[in-house]
Amino acid sequence: MDSRPKLNILFSRDEIEAAVRRLATEIGRDYHDRFPLLIGILRGSFVFMADLIRQLDFPLEVDFIGAASYGCSTRSSGQVKLSHRLQSEVRGREVLLVEDIVDTGLTTACLLDYLRRKKPASLKLCALTDKPSRRKVPITIDYLGFTVPDRFLVGYGLDLGQKFRNLPDICALEEA
Ligand code: IMP
Ligand code: MG
């Protein structure tokens, strides 16, 4: 019996490549002479990050941060539960946070707060996908790939129970 979920391609690898190129052009215009620090949110952003930085032809640094899911309930106390810590100094840097998908916005809001407290020179957000219908907290996305419907997505780094990150296309789970 086949218990694999049915997947429909929402954005093909070619469409993703075009979107990543467009984002790189926008980011390059703003950051080419600023030696930015790109910070990817683990684990979902690693595929996007790998493609994005290879379209950026100026000096930059890359780091990753992991937030335990919804570990932001202690936000007001300034504590974020991190599953992976930054290795880089953020103070005074031009920071671009790189996310795979902004859904409720809680993870992103939490990490933006966390980074802002470290006093970067600037802090902006790049997200490959945005699911605005599910938003619980307002988020400004400075560089956005795709707006997506309220469907569960996998592929290109996005997972379902840690699976499907390796799919080259972004797929939506078929609704039952
Ligand atoms: P948030 O709800 O905006 O905090 O999103 C938190 C995280 O949930 C994202 O960074 C993703 O890793 C994950 N997530 C949200 N929607 C999806 C989806 O459709 N597919 C896979 N992961 C998702
Ligand atoms: Mg994520």
Side-chain angles (χ1 to χ4, degrees), residues 70 99-107 131 151-153 158-159:
Y70 303 95
E99 176 60 306
D100 51 0
I101 185 163
V102 180
D103 187 30
T104 63
L106 291 169
T107 306
K131 214 190 268 182
R151 303 274 301 278
F152 198 84
L153 307 183
L158 291 160
D159 73 302

Side-chain angles (χ1 to χ4, degrees), residues 122-156:
S122 68
L123 179 59
K124 284 192 175 186
L125 174 65
C126 171
L128 180 63
T129 61
D130 178 24
K131 214 190 268 182
S133 53
R134 302 235 319 153
R135 196 72 93 253
K136 288 188 179 156
V137 288
I139 297 283
T140 300
I141 302 175
D142 302 286
Y143 307 96
L144 173 64
F146 303 106
T147 299
V148 300
D150 185 8
R151 303 274 301 278
F152 198 84
L153 307 183
V154 296
Y156 200 72

